[in-house]
Amino acid sequence: MKLYYATGTCSLSPHIVALEAGVVLDLEKVNLARTPHPTETGADFTAINPNGYVPALELDDGSVLTEGAAIVQYLADLRPESGLVPRSGTTERHHQQSWLNFIASELHKMYSPWLFHPEYGSQAQDVARNMLAKRLAFVENHLAKSGPYLTGEQFTAADAYLFTIVGWSAFTKVDLTAFPQLRAFMDRVAARPRVREAMHAEGMKIAA
Ligand SMILES: N[C@@H](CCC(=O)N[C@@H](CS)C(=O)NCC(=O)O)C(=O)O
């Protein structure tokens, strides 16, 4: 299996989940700075994912699975004993999917593309930051009541995704000062050995 990734982007989430699950992946880096995006072996990434975005997971049967929320569930389901996602068909699994969808649609797609492209203008970026402040306050309250992780005591795929996306806050000037539970969550996840390993493998800066 091969994960197509770009350093520090949303593909960090499946990278973390694979390491936490003990699933061995080949990695192929995609250069998002060039269009169309080439991979590090010189392949045209749009031939792998026509939408041109990471993450994409090439399965052993040669098919390609896209969309981060689906990829993390696929990887975690390969190792059910890891507890990274609850068993399929359970209410707990539906809560996990609810979080993954919330992170994808309410957080991920609010940070990106809006806050990564100054050409959208400060008005659009202010709207995105205001909306994120509301959504992050919701996460803050939830962690205060039901933490330390999103679904309680167990670290899951949703936590890997939340960590990855909220990790963009400093770069995108999203202020986390009002969210102490969320900041503690970020420190907690950042301290996990497999999370550090994934970040190191991607060449990201790791807090001491
Ligand atoms: N809907 C996709 C979005 C993935 C996405 O936004 N990927 C970004 C990096 S975080 C990307 O590759 N952007 C480059 C591009 O769209 O050309 C998912 O949830 O996996």
Side-chain angles (χ1 to χ4, degrees):
M1 256 182 315
K2 186 193 281 182
L3 178 68
Y4 290 90
Y5 80 102
T7 298
T9 69
C10 51
S11 52
L12 178 64
S13 159
H15 191 176
I16 290 171
V17 170
L19 287 173
E20 289 273 356
V23 172
V24 178
L25 290 180
D26 292 331
L27 295 173
E28 185 154 340
K29 192 170 182 169
V30 179
N31 183 350
L32 296 182
R34 283 177 51 198
T35 305
H37 308 320
T39 76
E40 62 185 325
T41 63
D44 172 6
F45 182 58
T46 50
I48 294 146
N49 179 5
N51 283 319
Y53 50 64
V54 294
L57 184 69
E58 191 176 279
L59 307 184
D60 290 340
D61 66 3
S63 65
V64 175
L65 183 64
T66 60
E67 303 304 318
I71 293 173
V72 291
Q73 292 181 73
Y74 178 86
L75 292 168
D77 277 333
L78 293 174
R79 297 283 186 278
E81 68 283 3
S82 69
L84 285 159
V85 290
R87 211 160 32 81
S88 204
T90 60
T91 305
E92 289 78 10
R93 179 61 168 259
H94 294 117
H95 282 296
Q96 174 75 199
Q97 287 167 334
S98 169
W99 277 115
L100 289 169
N101 198 60
F102 172 83
I103 298 162
S105 57
E106 302 295 333
L107 301 180
H108 182 175
K109 285 294 129 186
M110 197 59 72
Y111 279 90
S112 166
W114 301 105
L115 301 181
F116 285 89
H117 292 273
E119 67 271 23
Y120 291 150
S122 58
Q123 199 184 350
Q125 295 198 322
D126 286 348
V127 171
R129 285 195 187 89
N130 286 338
M131 187 57 81
L132 277 170
K134 286 187 198 155
R135 298 297 182 245
L136 294 175
F138 166 76
V139 176
E140 172 76 11
N141 290 336
H142 176 79
L143 287 172
K145 274 192 270 158
S146 312
Y149 293 114
L150 282 174
T151 54
E153 294 295 326
Q154 168 80 39
F155 176 84
T156 68
D159 297 301
Y161 195 12
L162 180 65
F163 172 78
T164 297
I165 302 305
V166 175
W168 298 338
S169 297
F171 182 77
T172 56
K173 298 189 175 57
V174 172
D175 187 3
L176 300 183
T177 312
F179 309 128
Q181 300 290 335
L182 183 57
R183 285 188 280 110
F185 167 90
M186 294 299 286
D187 291 343
R188 190 175 303 124
V189 178
R192 294 178 71 86
R194 299 286 87 79
V195 172
R196 294 171 72 86
E197 191 180 332
M199 294 174 75
H200 179 72
E202 295 195 10
M204 296 172 70
K205 222 177 4 181
I206 300 172

